[in-house]
Amino acid sequence: MEGIVYKSTGSWYAVKTKDNLTYSCRLKGKFRLKGIKNTNPVAVGDKVKFKLEETADETIGVIQEIAPRHNYIIRKSVNLSKQTHIIAANIDLALLVITLNNPPTFTTFIDRFLVTAEAYHIPVILLFNKVDTYSETEKDEIRYLMALYREIGYTCMPISAKTGFNVDKLKLAMKDKTCLFSGHSGVGKSTIINNLDADLTLKTAEISQQHLQGQHTTTFAEMYDLPFGARIIDTPGIKGFGIVEIEKQELGNYFPEFFNKKQDCKFNNCLHLNEPKCAVKDALENDEIAWSRYKSYLQILEGEEENYRTDIYKNKDS
């Protein structure tokens, strides 16, 4: 039998077939995918083949085979530094939910997510949520960020999960696609998803005032079918997004505005650091590349993994 993994709890998988039947499945023996050291060999979105086995009490599926993925999105495993965790596979569109505050999403986190999506060929829409709660000054900050990312070529959408602002526009962008929802805990992923389909009542939680961070309401990634033809993958709130499997020489290729300048650098293997006649550094000096993007690039290049939630603007002049 064939189906798609809709939920993973680490050892059990909910697999849905074309007939809309869902089976509880486990993996056959020790399962390892070639070339990928990860904590979860099967991820939500994977297409699998499985066999049914009858026990005295129930019928369970045993996953025999995983179809090749056309893409996946990956991050460093939280507890095992050398291992990776596949968040989801076979994604048509990634939606990163961003809030200016309560909790804050800094550009370093946005850029890490975008680099990973670029590396795995996943289109992204940046969703700036909670626009109904912002002051005029904060709205100006949102407009600045949207202008910055739009100029690079990313689609940006202001949205309010609470009032429903731009939810119809989002539905249109998601139609007939498998969409990954990601972002920090508390940015409103579950509220947006509940807004997309009134029949879904995903658990939501208030923001922890002590740390201005969200409470984790999603423990495992899970996929849902939406009535307008889309599938949505809700992911656990991500605090950090460690970059994996990207060589230093390749990193600049995943910053589109750097990649566009690369051919004008004196050296083919220019890392855009201290090399002479570097087109990226020249563009930075001429305000053609955003300082925040270059700062994110340096952090990833230097392997500064602990600064996901750092406001880089505080140190702009240092």
Side-chain angles (χ1 to χ4, degrees):
M1 298 182 74
E2 294 183 5
I4 295 172
V5 177
Y6 269 65
K7 189 176 185 179
S8 155
T9 63
S11 51
W12 286 91
Y13 306 91
V15 178
K16 189 184 268 195
T17 64
K18 283 181 181 175
D19 305 328
N20 281 330
L21 296 172
T22 302
Y23 294 90
S24 212
C25 296
R26 60 179 173 80
L27 273 180
K28 177 189 174 187
K30 283 208 167 187
F31 215 103
R32 289 286 173 266
L33 290 183
K34 268 187 185 174
I36 301 175
K37 289 181 183 175
N38 53 52
T39 55
N40 59 326
V42 178
V44 169
D46 269 330
K47 293 170 183 172
V48 296
K49 287 183 179 177
F50 64 100
K51 278 183 181 175
L52 292 181
E53 286 186 359
E54 302 282 343
T55 66
D57 309 323
E58 58 183 347
T59 303
I60 61 163
V62 180
I63 295 171
Q64 309 280 319
E65 196 180 315
I66 302 163
R69 297 167 172 145
H70 74 256
N71 65 28
Y72 55 90
I73 203 155
I74 195 169
R75 67 183 174 101
K76 285 195 175 173
S77 177
V78 177
N79 302 319
L80 303 158
S81 59
K82 287 186 180 175
Q83 291 224 291
T84 56
H85 180 82
I86 296 172
I87 298 170
N90 301 317
I91 303 154
D92 299 317
L93 179 65
L95 300 150
L96 182 64
V97 184
I98 297 160
T99 45
L100 198 62
N101 47 44
N102 202 23
T105 308
F106 299 124
T107 49
T108 42
F109 178 83
I110 298 170
D111 294 338
R112 284 171 182 272
F113 187 88
L114 290 174
V115 163
T116 303
E118 286 283 341
Y120 294 103
H121 310 291
I122 302 167
V124 177
I125 295 179
L126 300 178
L127 295 176
F128 291 83
N129 193 23
K130 304 187 184 180
V131 291
D132 56 300
T133 66
Y134 297 137
S135 67
E136 276 309 310
T137 306
E138 289 167 334
K139 282 177 184 172
D140 283 342
E141 278 190 64
I142 291 289
R143 288 184 197 108
Y144 166 77
L145 284 172
M146 288 200 298
L148 188 161
Y149 287 106
R150 277 174 179 154
E151 194 172 332
I152 296 164
Y154 292 107
T155 302
C156 299
M157 194 183 292
I159 193 169
S160 168
K162 222 166 191 178
T163 66
F165 173 67
N166 267 347
V167 168
D168 285 343
K169 192 175 173 185
L170 177 59
K171 283 182 181 179
L172 215 60
M174 293 172 62
K175 190 170 165 46
D176 301 326
K177 295 183 178 81
T178 297
C179 306
L180 174 88
F181 258 66
S182 200
H184 292 317
S185 297
V187 292
K189 294 189 303 293
S190 297
T191 311
I192 294 172
I193 294 168
N194 289 340
N195 228 314
L196 291 167
D197 181 4
D199 292 336
L200 278 180
T201 49
L202 302 192
K203 203 171 155 194
T204 59
E206 294 301 312
I207 298 295
S208 156
Q209 286 304 318
Q210 189 182 353
H211 300 296
L212 285 179
Q213 293 175 17
Q215 312 279 358
H216 288 279
T217 53
T218 311
T219 317
F220 298 101
E222 185 166 1
M223 185 150 66
Y224 303 91
D225 291 322
L226 299 180
F228 52 93
R231 286 193 191 110
I232 195 162
I233 302 171
D234 187 23
T235 61
I238 298 170
K239 281 187 178 177
F241 212 89
I243 301 294
V244 283
E245 297 185 349
I246 294 174
E247 298 292 329
K248 284 190 174 187
Q249 283 74 21
E250 294 174 7
L251 180 61
N253 297 346
Y254 304 125
F255 284 75
E257 70 275 43
F258 291 22
F259 183 70
N260 291 339
K261 300 281 180 192
K262 184 181 173 182
Q263 63 194 28
D264 298 324
C265 290
K266 183 178 180 181
F267 299 107
N268 287 336
N269 59 349
C270 185
L271 285 178
H272 320 307
L273 295 172
N274 304 310
E275 298 92 339
K277 295 186 180 174
C278 167
V280 169
K281 292 292 291 282
D282 289 346
L284 190 66
E285 292 298 320
N286 296 329
D287 290 329
E288 293 166 22
I289 285 176
W291 180 87
S292 63
R293 292 277 288 170
Y294 186 68
K295 181 76 174 179
S296 294
Y297 171 77
L298 291 182
Q299 276 197 7
I300 299 167
L301 200 65
E302 291 159 13
E304 292 180 32
E305 296 294 356
E306 68 284 350
N307 294 320
Y308 304 119
R309 297 179 77 92
T310 304
D311 188 353
I312 58 175
Y313 289 99
K314 281 182 182 173
N315 306 314
K316 187 169 178 177
D317 300 320
S318 60

